Amino acid sequence: MLDPFGRAISYLRVSVTDRCDFRCLYCMTEDMTFLPKAEILTLEELDRVCSAFVRLGVKKLRLTGGEPLVRRGVMALIRQLSRHLVSGALEELTLTTNGSQLARFASELAGLGVRRVNVSLDTLEPEKFAAITRWGRLDQVMNGIAAAKAAGLRVKINTVALKGVNEDEFDRLVAWCGDEGHDLTFIEVMPMGEIGEQRVEQYLPLSLLRARLAQRWTLTDIDYRTGGPARYVRVKETNGRIGFITPLTHNFCESCNRVRLTCTGTLYMCLGQDDAADLRAPVRASEIDAALDAAILEAIARKPKGHDFIIDRRHDRPAVARHMSVTGG
Ligand code: SAM
């Protein structure tokens, strides 16, 4: 699948639910309204859409949300999808999770061919964790991460850089990830969805973060890529890797290889644009995949060149109205 700019689309991210057991300050409001069940693709429909993408050339599938591991039956979906790993059509099946359910599911995930997971973790301090996530408990997530490691899954920690919130912990996170053997990626906060707080107050450019890390750690740019937008450095002192995802300070769209499916079957060709294609209608209209395949190809043919996120005092509004939990971060 080639888009109009010649980029090969080989990566599908799927939000399997809009629900989450956390309410992170920068992601959701506390009183989010969730979608009615009838609008959500069933597990069978999710499998059908994902399988169509695999047939059309997707090599990497990432389940996200909301929190993917709180969707009832999600392990049955993962078991179904793992047949594409066995056949070799799919190179990687993975998840982005808040880690709250990993203690329960890590070994089953490993058994189904999942090799690595991204776990979102913004702080190592229990009270701060409770404050950021509103509903989360740090020990539960730490147990989940430990279970993932014990099951042989590679763990990458994703940390959103939040001004005045976790900026005093970046060195500690680098040291902890180094000790545990986890990669670490810092993410700039993106202007997505109304959250009832001033985005500009949270925004911390990663250029600043990197400059600060460089005062304590020896950082060397490396070529390592995971198929995502992160740029990596090696930390000499820990021999660990740190990635930087900088949608605002450095637009990464030129190498974009991905599209995103919501749990209602809406395909977004860009995280930061509103144009979308409905795949639920063709799925529900016919048991034969011809219309679904055609809808996918038509959508890829109008993938936009990129997003233009801006956060400053004049642009303290969401670039897109939907929350990250809708499109799946
Ligand atoms: N529940 C899972 C998790 O916590 O990883 C998956 C979904 S969550 C929406 C995916 C990632 O998006 C998390 O790392 C979260 O921190 C990040 N995220 C949410 N809203 C964001 C925003 N406005 N800007 C940057 N990252 C955001």
Side-chain angles (χ1 to χ4, degrees):
M1 286 186 286
L2 281 185
D3 80 356
F5 304 94
R7 296 170 297 193
I9 307 306
S10 55
Y11 183 3
L12 176 68
R13 296 172 75 104
V14 184
S15 176
V16 297
T17 175
D18 61 331
R19 289 163 195 262
C20 188
D21 51 344
F22 293 179
R23 289 288 179 280
C24 296
L25 291 172
Y26 52 81
C27 186
M28 292 188 177
T29 55
E30 190 153 21
D31 57 346
M32 293 286 285
T33 314
F34 293 108
L35 293 161
K37 196 164 171 221
E39 290 195 24
I40 309 247
L41 295 184
T42 64
L43 297 172
E44 292 71 23
E45 289 168 339
L46 278 168
D47 177 50
R48 236 182 102 191
V49 178
C50 291
S51 300
F53 272 98
V54 172
R55 188 169 59 244
L56 293 170
V58 156
K59 298 283 175 216
K60 178 169 168 180
L61 208 55
R62 177 178 296 278
L63 305 188
T64 171
E67 171 49 41
L69 295 179
V70 301
R71 168 101 195 230
R72 192 169 304 147
V74 70
M75 295 308 290
L77 173 66
I78 295 172
R79 180 166 303 108
Q80 276 298 108
L81 292 173
S82 70
R83 73 188 183 281
H84 300 303
L85 290 173
V86 175
S87 77
L90 190 63
E91 286 166 9
E92 183 164 38
L93 177 58
T94 181
L95 312 131
T96 297
T97 172
N98 65 24
S100 70
Q101 310 301 313
L102 269 181
R104 238 188 334 151
F105 292 130
S107 48
E108 198 176 345
L109 288 170
L112 292 174
V114 173
R115 290 192 305 270
R116 55 186 187 123
V117 287
N118 289 359
V119 182
S120 304
L121 181 67
D122 300 329
T123 174
L124 292 169
E125 293 176 16
E127 298 84 49
K128 203 188 285 182
F129 186 87
I132 294 175
T133 61
R134 291 197 184 102
W135 296 1
R137 277 194 9 247
L138 181 63
D139 60 341
Q140 191 179 350
V141 170
M142 292 309 238
N143 288 341
I145 294 172
K149 185 176 170 183
L153 297 173
R154 280 204 57 82
V155 175
K156 181 160 77 73
I157 302 294
N158 282 342
T159 301
V160 178
L162 297 163
K163 189 159 74 181
V165 177
N166 60 0
E167 52 183 324
D168 56 331
E169 285 192 78
F170 297 149
D171 286 331
R172 188 172 167 209
L173 280 158
V174 171
W176 178 72
C177 286
D179 286 347
E180 290 292 318
H182 306 322
D183 285 342
L184 169 63
T185 295
F186 289 107
I187 306 173
E188 279 173 351
V189 75
M190 293 173 235
M192 299 188 63
E194 282 298 346
I195 50 164
E197 301 217 7
Q198 296 268 310
R199 211 48 98 177
V200 73
E201 305 300 340
Q202 304 175 340
Y203 174 55
L204 181 76
L206 292 195
S207 45
L208 209 72
L209 185 159
R210 183 180 166 153
R212 279 196 217 154
L213 290 181
Q215 292 174 2
R216 157 97 186 262
W217 309 94
T218 315
L219 309 178
T220 316
D221 286 310
I222 51 172
D223 254 349
Y224 178 72
R225 296 305 268 279
T226 57
R231 301 286 176 276
Y232 282 88
V233 297
R234 170 84 58 200
V235 186
K236 187 169 169 226
E237 290 80 359
T238 66
N239 202 32
R241 274 186 296 247
I242 305 179
F244 299 94
I245 300 187
T246 55
L248 288 103
T249 52
H250 172 246
N251 188 306
F252 46 57
C253 305
E254 66 280 358
S255 60
C256 185
N257 58 354
R258 63 192 56 196
V259 288
R260 299 164 190 265
L261 183 75
T262 72
C263 59
T264 57
T266 303
L267 186 71
Y268 284 98
M269 287 73 83
C270 173
L271 180 63
Q273 301 279 0
D274 284 322
D275 189 29
D278 175 27
L279 302 183
R280 188 178 61 193
V283 165
R284 293 195 173 164
S286 163
E287 286 183 4
I288 299 166
D289 285 337
L292 172 62
D293 288 11
I296 292 172
L297 294 173
E298 189 277 328
I300 302 295
R302 57 190 167 87
K303 181 171 160 66
K305 193 165 183 194
H307 64 247
D308 29 42
F309 288 139
I310 308 173
I311 297 183
D312 62 26
R313 302 228 169 246
R314 279 186 304 129
H315 298 88
D316 195 21
R317 275 176 292 115
V320 289
R322 60 188 190 275
H323 292 90
M324 186 71 107
S325 54
V326 172
T327 333

